[in-house]
Amino acid sequence: MSFDGFFTHAIVHELNQQLATGRVAKVSQPYPAELIITIRAHRHNYPLLLSANPTYPRIQVTTIPYQNPAVPTNFTMTMRKYLEGAIVNQIEQVDNDRIIKLTFDTRDELGDSQQLVLVSEIMARHSNISLVNKKTGKIIDSIKHVGSDQNRVRLLLPGATFVMPPKQDKVNPYLPNQVYSNLARQYHEVPSLAKALQQRYQGLGRDSAQELASELLASDNLPTAYQQFINSFNDPDPVLIKPTDGKTQFAAFPPRNASPDELQHFATVSELLDAFYANKAQEDRSKELAGQVLKVIKNELKKDRRKVKKLNQQLADAASADQYRVCGEILTTYLSKLKPGMTEITLPNFYDENKPLAIKLSPELSPSRNAQKYFTKYNKLKTSVAYVNEQLKLANDEITYFENIENQIKLANPADIQEIRLELQEQGYIKKKKKGKKQRKIQVSKPEEFHASDGTLILVGKNNMQNDRLSFKIANKNEIWLHVKDIPGSHVVIRSTAPSEDTILEAAELAAYYSKGRDSDNVPVDYLPVKRLHKPNGGKPGFVTFTGQKTLYVTPHKLGD
């Protein structure tokens, strides 16, 4: 079942029971298009998530942990100013549409009572969250600003009059005197009846329409079947549907044709949504937060690869430096044969008598200056080799560094992305905020924990800051450290000084999984005691050197999968 009007009805009914008369304790905006309002109700804190994410828009109580950005956005500060301390008066759905209005009772700067309405529009890429003064109808702020160049009908900007989205020419299915019986008599197959119901009624997603059509066609009492269907959203039995041959879906109640073995039941609709969106939303949030980071990385990689190509060409030119020396020596020997204004001359080659040498000349230079030009070119190329090799190593090391971060982002959660961003700021690749604004220091999160089959703890660094902390702060010197051989990957530590062969194998599989080689079948992984690691002076985060390692070949695998 999609997040349609009926499912919205179910979540609104649940939220009203949980949150009505509650007080706003805290407002946060951990992600660009998502707002979390912590409401204290019935002696319990409920983090209410309102998401205007174009891929996963929704409203629910969430228990998934989140991390706020170091500096709150202007929208966050506005929401805190107007909503913190406010009382939840009512949560209502607009008709049977995916629009939810949360009404708050609060007081203005003068202490006079006022009502504010937070409007959540759950409409894919048009999703938005707007705070509106109920008395004036003016928008205080929206999480996404929409100007006249984007939408001529609706302005969603501070100070503009709030206008509801245009209504569809459909009927609210909760109103009396419906015509479902006529439709059921006209259409005798589920697909055709479901389509007709969708065209007639508001808020019917495809899955809901098919379920209602099945109920009507299977019943001898159409009014009862219809009423039971729409009333079921007031008392839902939330389920995840996990078919063996299809993708996981969610529903407010078990579908008619679903097998009990395919169903996972939940106590509340919000718990169902947490279970369904946990991984999907985290991946999407990570991609959203990683947007600028990835842009910086791609630009730096582009520059470095172009630099490597140029440096390799310089090395190739230096390899033929002797040719310039030979030309200079031959010109010096036959200097008397050179005439002013010549552009080329062919002279005997005393290094190879069978091959006379054609030498290009600059007509504006004297004969001796032409010879000196070749010696200068030769000396310049020979002396440049050491510098070019040094620059080539630096450029290749930087490419490896950025490829490693690219790999980390693929498996990162939002907290990891913030640490990667902080790392790039510290390295000077991303500009820091102005010093005038005080920034909260980001604490490096803990490495991810896994347990081997025998219970041994295995730690995995998910970014370079975690890698450094794991290898040089957390791990003991005699514990075992692992890393994929010669490709970007995470630092892995077995919290044991004498792990079994099976544990080393499982840790190596983890190291391969958290690396650029995760899609390969046979990945080499080095392992050694932590005490053999060394951090070079000036080395970039996550970079280490080591000796005395052993290597084994494994297939990437994440423990618990």
Side-chain angles (χ1 to χ4, degrees):
M1 181 179 290
S2 58
F3 207 118
D4 60 7
F6 277 111
F7 196 88
T8 304
H9 183 96
I11 190 69
V12 167
H13 184 78
E14 178 177 290
L15 293 177
N16 248 321
Q17 292 179 324
Q18 288 180 321
L19 307 179
T21 73
R23 182 183 295 273
V24 176
K26 183 180 177 183
V27 178
S28 307
Q29 190 186 352
Y31 312 107
E34 297 182 357
L35 186 70
I36 291 183
I37 304 175
T38 302
I39 298 172
R40 180 74 177 176
H42 313 298
R43 293 187 290 184
H44 186 81
N45 288 335
Y46 294 95
L48 178 66
L49 167 66
L50 296 95
S51 176
N53 183 300
T55 311
Y56 304 114
R58 63 197 187 282
I59 181 170
Q60 63 166 110
V61 171
T62 183
T63 57
I64 296 175
Y66 59 89
Q67 184 174 349
N68 283 321
V71 179
T73 64
N74 291 335
F75 180 76
T76 307
M77 298 303 293
T78 302
M79 295 301 104
R80 288 176 179 174
K81 175 183 175 181
Y82 285 93
L83 292 181
E84 284 187 350
I87 303 296
V88 180
N89 180 295
Q90 186 182 22
I91 302 174
E92 59 183 326
Q93 180 183 15
V94 177
D95 295 329
N96 197 46
D97 208 344
R98 292 169 296 167
I99 304 173
I100 300 168
K101 296 164 68 175
L102 296 89
T103 305
F104 296 90
D105 292 329
T106 185
R107 294 187 179 275
D108 60 18
E109 293 89 340
L110 300 176
D112 297 330
S113 62
Q114 68 173 348
Q115 281 196 326
L116 303 176
V117 181
L118 192 64
V119 184
S120 175
E121 302 172 39
I122 305 171
M123 297 180 176
R125 64 189 180 91
H126 300 294
S127 299
N128 213 332
I129 303 166
S130 303
L131 183 64
V132 181
N133 186 306
K134 188 173 182 179
K135 183 178 179 180
T136 64
K138 300 291 185 181
I139 297 173
I140 296 171
D141 205 355
S142 294
I143 201 165
K144 297 178 186 175
H145 289 179
V146 180
S148 57
D149 57 330
Q150 297 170 277
N151 191 326
R152 295 183 180 180
V153 179
R154 299 179 71 213
L155 285 180
L156 294 175
L157 297 170
T161 300
F162 182 79
V163 179
M164 281 288 180
K167 281 190 174 183
Q168 292 180 311
D169 187 21
K170 294 183 180 181
V171 179
N172 183 348
Y174 283 91
L175 295 176
N177 303 319
Q178 304 294 347
V179 295
Y180 52 84
S181 56
N182 294 337
L183 293 174
R185 293 188 187 98
Q186 185 177 353
Y187 300 97
H188 305 291
E189 294 181 353
V190 170
S192 55
L193 178 56
K195 187 175 181 180
L197 289 168
Q198 277 188 285
Q199 293 172 345
R200 169 71 181 174
Y201 292 112
Q202 187 182 44
L204 261 178
R206 186 181 64 179
D207 297 336
S208 299
Q210 289 179 342
E211 194 66 24
L212 175 56
S214 298
E215 294 286 348
L216 293 175
L217 293 177
S219 176
D220 295 329
N221 190 330
L222 294 179
T224 301
Y226 182 84
Q227 204 62 41
Q228 284 178 344
F229 178 82
I230 65 172
N231 287 345
S232 62
F233 292 92
N234 292 328
D235 186 22
D237 177 15
V239 290
L240 269 185
I241 308 156
K242 299 179 176 180
T244 55
D245 56 349
K247 63 180 182 179
T248 301
Q249 295 179 302
F250 64 86
F253 51 84
R256 283 176 59 89
N257 300 324
S259 167
D261 296 337
E262 297 176 347
L263 303 179
Q264 181 182 354
H265 293 261
F266 292 86
T268 66
V269 178
S270 288
E271 289 179 18
L272 166 69
L273 293 175
D274 260 358
F276 181 80
Y277 284 114
N279 292 331
K280 293 181 175 64
Q282 287 292 80
E283 289 174 6
D284 199 70
R285 287 165 176 168
S286 296
K287 288 178 183 177
E288 192 172 18
L289 290 172
Q292 185 191 5
V293 176
L294 282 171
K295 185 177 179 181
V296 169
I297 290 170
K298 289 184 185 301
N299 286 340
E300 293 294 333
L301 280 172
K302 187 177 180 181
K303 286 193 295 185
D304 284 332
R305 285 167 179 156
R306 191 164 53 230
K307 185 177 180 181
V308 165
K309 185 177 180 181
K310 184 178 179 181
L311 291 171
N312 280 326
Q313 183 58 50
Q314 290 180 12
L315 284 178
D317 291 342
S320 59
D322 282 344
Q323 183 178 350
Y324 293 100
R325 177 182 57 80
V326 170
C327 288
E329 290 177 352
I330 292 175
L331 286 176
T332 302
T333 303
Y334 296 101
L335 205 59
S336 59
K337 293 189 176 183
L338 273 65
K339 306 297 181 186
M342 294 179 70
T343 58
E344 187 175 345
I345 189 170
T346 301
L347 296 170
N349 183 356
F350 41 75
Y351 289 101
D352 188 349
E353 295 179 357
N354 296 323
K355 290 184 178 179
L357 191 61
I359 303 174
K360 291 185 178 180
L361 302 172
S362 298
E364 70 277 8
L365 298 180
S366 66
S368 59
R369 291 289 299 276
N370 265 300
Q372 188 59 41
K373 178 184 173 183
Y374 278 97
F375 285 123
T376 301
K377 181 76 171 176
Y378 165 74
N379 290 327
K380 185 177 179 181
L381 288 173
K382 292 300 286 186
T383 55
S384 71
V385 170
Y387 174 78
V388 169
N389 279 324
E390 180 185 352
Q391 292 300 307
L392 192 59
K393 183 182 183 304
L394 291 173
N396 282 321
D397 287 346
E398 195 162 82
I399 288 173
T400 301
Y401 172 70
F402 285 119
E403 286 179 343
N404 191 28
I405 294 180
E406 261 191 329
N407 175 69
Q408 291 167 359
I409 289 174
K410 291 178 182 178
L411 293 171
N413 58 39
D416 296 327
I417 297 295
Q418 293 200 34
E419 290 176 9
I420 291 171
R421 181 186 177 86
L422 177 63
E423 176 189 335
L424 292 175
Q425 283 182 340
E426 296 295 332
Q427 295 294 311
Y429 296 109
I430 294 179
K431 289 184 179 179
K432 294 183 180 181
K433 298 280 185 179
K434 291 182 179 179
K435 292 184 179 179
K437 294 183 179 180
K438 186 178 180 181
Q439 296 188 51
R440 187 180 67 190
K441 186 177 180 181
I442 296 179
Q443 297 292 326
V444 179
S445 57
K446 295 180 179 179
E448 192 155 349
E449 296 184 356
F450 297 91
H451 287 88
S453 302
D454 61 1
T456 304
L457 179 63
I458 302 173
L459 301 180
V460 178
K462 298 285 290 298
N463 57 59
N464 287 328
M465 296 178 76
Q466 285 184 21
N467 285 337
D468 277 353
R469 188 166 179 267
L470 172 60
S471 298
F472 297 104
K473 298 290 185 182
I474 298 175
N476 295 326
K477 64 179 183 179
N478 290 318
E479 292 175 346
I480 303 302
W481 182 91
L482 303 94
H483 193 281
V484 286
K485 188 179 184 67
D486 299 332
I487 57 174
S490 293
H491 294 197
V492 177
V493 170
I494 303 173
R495 300 307 309 267
S496 171
T497 57
S500 66
E501 289 185 6
D502 288 343
T503 298
I504 293 175
L505 180 63
E506 290 175 355
E509 291 172 345
L510 265 177
Y513 179 83
Y514 284 97
S515 78
K516 194 175 181 180
R518 79 174 60 87
D519 296 324
S520 303
D521 293 328
N522 200 23
V523 180
V525 177
D526 291 332
Y527 66 99
L528 60 147
V530 171
K531 63 185 178 183
R532 292 181 184 165
L533 293 179
H534 175 65
K535 182 76 173 177
N537 291 333
K540 289 189 178 295
F543 181 74
V544 296
T545 59
F546 50 84
T547 56
Q549 71 273 19
K550 296 180 181 178
T551 306
L552 68 162
Y553 290 79
V554 297
T555 300
H557 177 69
K558 184 179 180 182
L559 293 180
D561 285 0

